[in-house]
């Protein structure tokens, strides 16, 4: 039986494309928001879920990071790197000069800031829960509206494409992660994501990086999210090369546990190659 794989719907989102690339044989199940997608895998309603975690132009998806920090059952077990090419879509017969509102997911609007400032400087930018939802709303008859999203969404919902490749850089890539009840077995070409809450003392963050550096583990990403307990306290999220069961990575994580107030391994998984 095909696995049930949750994604942000409706059909025509980049998340659907990433999910199909991850498992072409899966039964793709759309959900209306990322919160619903994440909850579906957390509750066991689906086998896996695919969600975007960061974009090369617009940065991290904060809601996904916060979910991973708090999740009890979900772990990262894979990643998909998807080149993103945005199109400006309108109802048939709508001219550029008639556009008063541009609808899309906030990440997509952010990735097209330069184009919108140059070509539609007076148009309102209206965020939607997904690119495909924006296309549906435009096709439903919202006057003077355009949507930003993949060309496939235009084909699915009968829209005309006024402009292609409107993102601010051609090197626009979104990294999606695959969530499941457990992470991936070691492959030899892996990454590990984890987070921790440093103790409130001078040099605390610097000290936590030493176990990684001393073992010559490649740190590929570090960022922070507010702890939520009080202003000025943060949770740090890191990606490193290697699997949590690799001797050096395991030793570094064990040393970090003794140095931090909280440490959580978000998952180990095969490392995806950046599209050429």
């Amino acid at each position: 039986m095909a696995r049930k794989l949750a994604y942000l719907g409706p059909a025509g989102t980049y998340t659907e494309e990433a999910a199909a690339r991850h498992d072409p044989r899966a039964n793709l199940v759309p959900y209306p928001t990322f919160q619903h997608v994440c909850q579906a895998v957390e509750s066991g309603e689906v086998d896996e879920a695919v969600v975007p975690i960061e974009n090369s132009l617009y940065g991290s998806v904060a809601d996904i990071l916060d979910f991973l920090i708090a999740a009890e059952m979900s772990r990262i077990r894979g990643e998909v790197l998807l080149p993103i090419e945005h199109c400006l879509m309108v109802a048939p017969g709508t001219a550029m000069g008639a556009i008063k509102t541009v609808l899309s997911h906030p990440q997509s609007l952010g990735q097209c800031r330069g184009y919108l400032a140059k070509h539609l400087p007076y148009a309102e930018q209206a965020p939607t829960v997904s690119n495909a939802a924006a296309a549906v709303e435009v096709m439903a008859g919202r006057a003077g509206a355009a949507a930003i999203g993949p060309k496939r969404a235009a084909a699915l919902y009968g829209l005309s494409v006024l402009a292609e490749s409107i993102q601010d850089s051609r090197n626009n890539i979104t990294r999606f992660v695959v969530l499941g009840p457990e992470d991936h077995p070691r492959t030899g070409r892996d990454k590990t994501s984890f987070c921790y809450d440093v103790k409130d003392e001078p040099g605390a963050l610097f000290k936590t990086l030493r176990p990684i550096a001393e073992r010559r583990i490649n740190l590929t990403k570090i960022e922070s999210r507010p702890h939520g307990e009080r202003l000025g306290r943060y949770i740090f999220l890191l990606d490193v090369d290697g699997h949590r069961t690799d001797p050096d990575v395991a030793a570094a994580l064990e040393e970090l546990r003794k140095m931090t107030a909280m440490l959580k391994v978000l998952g180990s998984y095969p490392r995806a190659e950046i599209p050429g």
Side-chain angles (χ1 to χ4, degrees):
M1 181 180 294
R3 290 183 298 174
K4 294 176 68 176
L5 181 56
Y7 74 94
L8 177 67
T13 62
Y14 292 109
T15 311
E16 182 194 29
E17 182 178 348
R21 289 195 181 197
H22 167 62
D23 188 348
R25 295 174 295 180
N27 177 20
L28 302 186
V29 184
Y31 286 85
T33 68
F34 284 132
Q35 181 179 0
H36 288 91
V37 173
C38 292
Q39 189 55 42
V41 71
E42 183 75 356
S43 65
E45 193 173 312
V46 296
D47 299 297
E48 292 181 342
V50 173
V51 293
I53 196 168
E54 66 173 319
N55 175 263
S56 58
L57 299 183
Y58 203 58
S60 296
V61 183
D63 289 347
I64 302 302
L65 296 181
D66 292 342
F67 166 77
L68 287 168
I69 292 169
E72 296 181 1
M73 304 299 295
S74 304
R75 295 294 181 267
I76 303 175
R77 58 175 289 103
E79 67 176 0
V80 178
L81 303 181
L82 182 69
I84 302 297
E85 184 171 337
H86 289 305
C87 296
L88 184 69
M89 305 173 286
V90 295
T94 303
M96 181 75 80
I99 297 174
K100 305 299 180 186
T101 307
V102 180
L103 298 89
S104 196
H105 188 274
Q107 278 269 339
S108 300
L109 291 171
Q111 294 162 29
C112 301
R113 284 179 293 191
Y115 178 89
L116 294 173
K118 180 178 180 179
H119 297 280
L120 293 165
Y122 301 109
E124 175 191 5
Q125 297 180 29
T128 56
V129 294
S130 72
N131 300 302
V136 170
E137 189 168 343
V138 170
M139 197 58 208
R142 180 164 175 171
I148 290 175
K151 183 183 287 188
R152 179 168 179 267
L156 283 173
Y157 300 110
L159 299 178
S160 299
V161 175
L162 286 186
E164 299 183 23
S165 298
I166 67 171
Q167 64 276 2
D168 292 340
S169 171
R170 293 194 179 275
N171 297 317
N172 186 23
I173 297 174
T174 293
R175 176 184 171 222
F176 295 81
V177 291
V178 182
L179 305 180
E182 55 186 26
D183 61 2
H184 200 283
R186 184 180 185 276
T187 67
R189 296 184 60 263
D190 304 296
K191 291 172 66 173
T192 296
S193 298
F194 59 96
C195 63
Y196 57 74
D197 175 12
V198 299
K199 297 176 181 178
D200 188 10
E201 59 185 34
L205 178 59
F206 174 78
K207 293 175 184 176
T208 62
L209 297 178
R210 185 175 296 158
I212 299 170
E214 288 178 344
R215 292 171 175 84
R216 301 186 64 81
I217 298 169
N218 187 30
L219 175 64
T220 59
K221 182 182 177 183
I222 182 170
E223 62 184 301
S224 63
R225 292 292 300 153
H227 188 285
E229 185 175 282
R230 62 180 172 83
L231 187 65
R233 188 174 177 186
Y234 298 91
I235 292 176
F236 292 89
L237 300 102
L238 294 81
D239 290 349
V240 299
D241 283 342
H243 196 274
R244 59 178 172 79
T245 61
D246 292 346
D248 283 345
V249 176
L253 291 172
E254 183 59 31
E255 188 172 344
L256 279 168
R257 289 188 192 278
K258 301 173 183 177
M259 303 170 62
T260 56
M262 176 279 293
L263 184 143
K264 178 182 180 183
V265 177
L266 305 176
S268 291
Y269 46 95
R271 183 175 67 248
E273 295 296 329
I274 297 176

